[in-house]
Amino acid sequence: MDTAERQPRKQGWRFALLALVLAVAISGLVRSLWIDVYYIPSESMEPLLETGDRILVSRTAFSDEPIARGDVMVFDGRGSFAPLSSGKGPLVDAVNAAGQWFGLIGSDTTYVKRVLGIPGDHVQCCDDAGRVTVNGQAVEEPYLFPGDEPSKQKFDVVVPEGRLWLMGDHRSRSADSRALLGAPGGGMVPIDRVIGKPVRIIWPLDRFAEMPRYPQATPTKNGH
């Protein structure tokens, strides 16, 4: 093979490599600003989300409308649900970050939960019927995992400004705000740690669907 034949191949590889770098860069920009993909590593949000699901997350959803009770959200749990540092070292963190970026593994610091209390809310468990109450009114929760109680753990909290009270739908399998009542911050997640709102399940294909919306976490009148 002469030099003239090798040159086009070399240029072709360079073009392919440049196209790949540009594609990754554009994808990274889109995922950091508008839309992202997350892997569900646990059963804490069943039956809505199952282990192994990949979800499409809008990073701008809460820019258009305020966070409301009942919203499902993805958030960075560092400093509240998780330590600020993994303690595993930069190399392991980099490998894990790559796996998370490609949707192959879940994150130890990124969580998906449902909002039960917004700033100023008085959230308690439970009333005489075993329901969570918000500001003295019972909350109907049709999304709960079948057979689960709203909570076996008692709590009585007032959500401070700039924070949220979050719980999983599979209450018996969810480590959430309830598990951190004695920790700094009292299990409340800072609003500025919210990453976005799940809008669609994209994998596996047999579960491909938009995320349902409920009037869940809206206190019923007079607690009935």
Side-chain angles (χ1 to χ4, degrees), residues 198-215:
V199 293
R200 180 177 288 274
I201 299 170
I202 60 173
W203 188 265
L205 293 179
D206 61 353
R207 286 178 47 74
F208 186 85
E210 288 187 10
M211 296 285 288
R213 299 189 69 176
Y214 303 96

Side-chain angles (χ1 to χ4, degrees), residues 69 114-119 121 123 134 159 163-166:
R69 301 183 199 98
R114 191 180 299 274
V115 179
L116 267 290
I118 59 177
D121 279 346
V123 189
V134 177
V159 184
R163 292 185 175 256
L164 303 165
W165 178 266
L166 306 175

Side-chain angles (χ1 to χ4, degrees), residues 19-101:
L20 177 61
V21 170
L22 285 174
V24 171
I26 292 171
S27 175
L29 182 64
V30 169
R31 291 179 64 172
S32 65
L33 296 178
W34 294 290
I35 203 85
D36 208 345
V37 177
Y38 284 90
Y39 172 92
I40 303 299
S42 75
E43 53 193 354
S44 70
M45 283 298 292
E46 290 179 338
L48 177 66
L49 298 172
E50 297 181 358
T51 304
D53 283 351
R54 273 72 167 180
I55 56 174
L56 204 61
V57 177
S58 170
R59 287 180 172 269
T60 60
F62 294 121
S63 299
D64 301 328
E65 57 184 38
I67 296 170
R69 301 183 199 98
D71 282 336
V72 175
M73 62 171 51
V74 175
F75 63 97
D76 180 352
R78 287 177 296 178
S80 57
F81 278 42
L84 289 171
S85 172
S86 71
K88 298 177 182 177
L91 181 59
V92 174
D93 287 346
V95 172
N96 286 341
Q100 293 158 22
W101 197 87

Side-chain angles (χ1 to χ4, degrees), residues 1-12:
M1 183 181 297
D2 58 29
T3 304
E5 291 176 335
R6 288 197 300 268
Q7 192 68 20
R9 286 193 177 185
K10 190 174 182 180
Q11 291 177 348

Side-chain angles (χ1 to χ4, degrees), residues 146-211:
D148 266 10
E149 299 175 26
S151 180
K152 288 186 176 181
Q153 181 179 352
K154 306 296 183 182
F155 54 86
D156 186 343
V157 298
V158 175
V159 184
E161 191 65 31
R163 292 185 175 256
L164 303 165
W165 178 266
L166 306 175
M167 297 171 71
D169 290 354
H170 196 166
R171 298 283 159 81
S172 61
R173 297 286 185 176
S174 177
D176 46 43
S177 289
R178 297 170 297 168
L180 298 165
L181 282 171
M188 313 291 182
V189 174
I191 290 177
D192 60 12
R193 288 289 189 176
V194 173
I195 294 171
K197 185 175 186 177
V199 293
R200 180 177 288 274
I201 299 170
I202 60 173
W203 188 265
L205 293 179
D206 61 353
R207 286 178 47 74
F208 186 85
E210 288 187 10
M211 296 285 288

